[in-house]
Amino acid sequence: MSKPQASRTPHRLAALIAGVLVTTTTPALAQTASEKAPPTVATLIDRPDLRPDKVTAMREFRFGSGDVIAKGAELSIHELRPDAIVLDSGAFIFEAKIEDTDLLDRAAKLIGGLSEEAMALTLASLERDSSLWPARVSLNNTMQFSDGTTIRGGETLALRGFARGQLTVHHAPTDVLFTLEPTSTNILVQARSRTATPKEQRRPHFVRSLEAALVPDDKQATQPLDGAEYIVVYQGRKECSRCARFTPSLLKTYSKLKAESDNFEVVFMSQDRTERLHNEHVRDKNMPWKVLPFNKRFATPAADLQGDLLPVVYLVKPDGTVIDKTDPRGRGRSAKDVLKRLEREVG
């Protein structure tokens, strides 16, 4: 499917608020918890990752257009400058004095609650440490696409990857896969909360993202792959004759090994063209293993385990390490070869 490049387009630009606050240029905040100092505007410009997601309007704003922003309203930060803050109301953006918001108070509370590891965490360092990536992120502001698709601020996106300064995310309700700036989400907030988990207990993003896609959105988070030392990712479709020949072998191996051990799981990722075909495929084959919902088939890093010829079968560790896989061109390792490897590993 196409991967539209997301860009947020404000609906309209309101008149600018008169007057600005001049800030002093004090040194940037130290990055260790033991050396915390009250944040300044200069600090928050140098380190956007220490800004709060939202600020509170400390007074009422009235515009010539008739729009009113009430005192106490929560607003997203669109831009921060040394002398002003640009705020996003959700319908338009406008410029205000920094002192007319609780920016510095919120930043001080945020920084005061950070551990040394959380304080040092930046987007650059987070990109290199997938153990801290959340399975899902929330969108800060509404995004509009050229095809008319709109994803509202606050909606949840599955995090598929983080590379070259961009997040790859998936929106299940619209089945849209796209890239965006990490600052457009709450990824740092969630990653910092994960630093409270001891390093030896941090489960890899690969398996957490699979689990998040397997759990219905209206259910509490569970760990359906907990305890699995091996994960088989199987990609196939109903109209694939090679898949039809392979699935009975997988069913036989699955039943045999499950009777002996519970340290592996199989996850089916549909390559069917429609949800109807996907549902028929799963029902007709009476699949006993985990099945990703059709609208979440692009929501995890497992979707990147590609091959040119179905069935595509990967045997991986929970951290995403590939133990065995089918040859992407169908000329080498077959799906049955990967099953034999699974039997050796589990046995």
Side-chain angles (χ1 to χ4, degrees):
M1 63 176 289
S2 61
K3 301 179 182 179
Q5 179 67 36
S7 61
R8 193 180 66 81
T9 304
H11 296 89
R12 52 195 171 87
L13 182 64
L16 297 181
I17 303 290
V20 294
L21 173 67
V22 178
T23 59
T24 57
T25 55
T26 54
L29 189 68
Q31 294 189 10
T32 62
S34 61
E35 299 176 359
K36 290 177 184 176
T40 66
V41 175
T43 296
L44 302 181
I45 290 175
D46 289 342
R47 287 197 61 184
D49 56 285
L50 295 178
R51 300 175 194 168
D53 289 335
K54 295 182 179 294
V55 295
T56 302
M58 303 305 290
R59 72 172 181 85
E60 182 181 82
F61 295 97
R62 289 183 175 273
F63 305 92
S65 60
D67 291 297
V68 177
I69 302 294
K71 180 180 179 180
E74 286 208 332
L75 305 162
S76 298
I77 301 173
H78 181 73
E79 182 184 358
L80 182 62
R81 301 198 291 264
D83 58 354
I85 185 170
V86 181
L87 301 171
D88 188 338
S89 72
F92 57 87
I93 63 174
F94 65 98
E95 185 178 291
K97 296 179 181 180
I98 296 170
E99 62 188 356
D100 288 335
T101 73
D102 64 345
L103 171 68
L104 295 179
D105 287 342
R106 284 204 180 201
K109 290 179 181 178
L110 185 156
I111 292 168
L114 296 180
S115 66
E116 184 172 341
E117 182 184 9
M119 184 72 176
L121 188 65
T122 65
L123 288 173
S125 62
L126 177 59
E127 182 173 338
R128 300 188 296 269
D129 187 359
S130 62
S131 71
L132 292 176
W133 297 357
R136 295 169 177 163
V137 295
S138 293
L139 189 62
N140 291 339
N141 300 298
T142 297
M143 285 187 154
Q144 298 175 328
F145 296 83
S146 57
D147 64 357
T149 299
T150 298
I151 303 177
R152 301 292 178 186
E155 290 199 61
T156 298
L157 308 170
L159 178 61
R160 180 170 166 181
F162 185 6
R164 295 180 291 281
Q166 294 281 301
L167 304 185
T168 303
V169 296
H170 180 262
H171 184 243
T174 57
D175 201 13
V176 174
L177 178 69
F178 60 101
T179 61
L180 79 169
E181 297 286 339
T183 51
S184 298
T185 73
N186 68 343
I187 186 171
L188 262 181
V189 173
Q190 294 204 64
R192 283 176 172 146
S193 69
R194 285 189 56 77
T195 63
T197 302
K199 291 185 178 181
E200 64 275 9
Q201 297 178 20
R202 294 176 190 172
R203 305 170 72 239
H205 175 259
F206 179 87
V207 69
R208 287 184 289 108
S209 70
L210 273 176
E211 288 179 329
L214 288 167
V215 176
D217 293 334
D218 60 348
K219 302 294 183 182
Q220 291 186 342
T222 60
Q223 298 179 351
L225 298 178
D226 191 26
E229 298 176 32
Y230 306 95
I231 301 170
V232 176
V233 179
Y234 168 35
Q235 299 180 17
R237 69 166 57 100
K238 176 180 172 63
E239 298 170 327
C240 167
S241 59
R242 293 178 300 277
C243 300
R245 291 193 295 271
F246 168 69
T247 303
S249 298
L250 178 57
L251 282 166
K252 182 178 179 180
T253 299
Y254 180 87
S255 299
K256 173 178 176 291
L257 293 180
K258 276 294 181 181
E260 302 169 355
S261 175
D262 200 34
N263 68 342
F264 78 100
E265 287 291 351
V266 175
V267 179
F268 175 69
M269 298 182 64
S270 174
Q271 298 295 302
D272 290 298
R273 293 179 291 106
T274 67
E275 187 169 13
R276 179 184 63 79
L277 287 172
H278 161 83
N279 293 338
E280 290 176 357
H281 189 186
V282 174
R283 183 193 65 230
D284 293 349
K285 295 300 182 183
N286 196 25
M287 296 184 180
W289 43 72
K290 312 292 184 186
V291 177
L292 283 185
F294 182 76
N295 68 338
K296 294 183 179 180
R297 65 201 184 283
F298 299 121
T300 80
D304 293 322
L305 305 181
Q306 297 296 326
D308 296 331
L309 193 67
L310 294 176
V312 173
V313 182
Y314 275 71
L315 174 60
V316 300
K317 298 287 283 184
D319 63 0
T321 301
V322 177
I323 300 174
D324 203 352
K325 63 179 181 177
T326 50
D327 184 270
R329 295 167 299 281
R331 300 171 187 167
R333 301 287 292 171
S334 70
K336 289 187 178 181
D337 289 331
V338 178
L339 278 189
K340 291 176 182 178
R341 178 66 181 271
L342 172 66
E343 290 188 76
R344 292 198 299 271
E345 294 288 338
V346 173

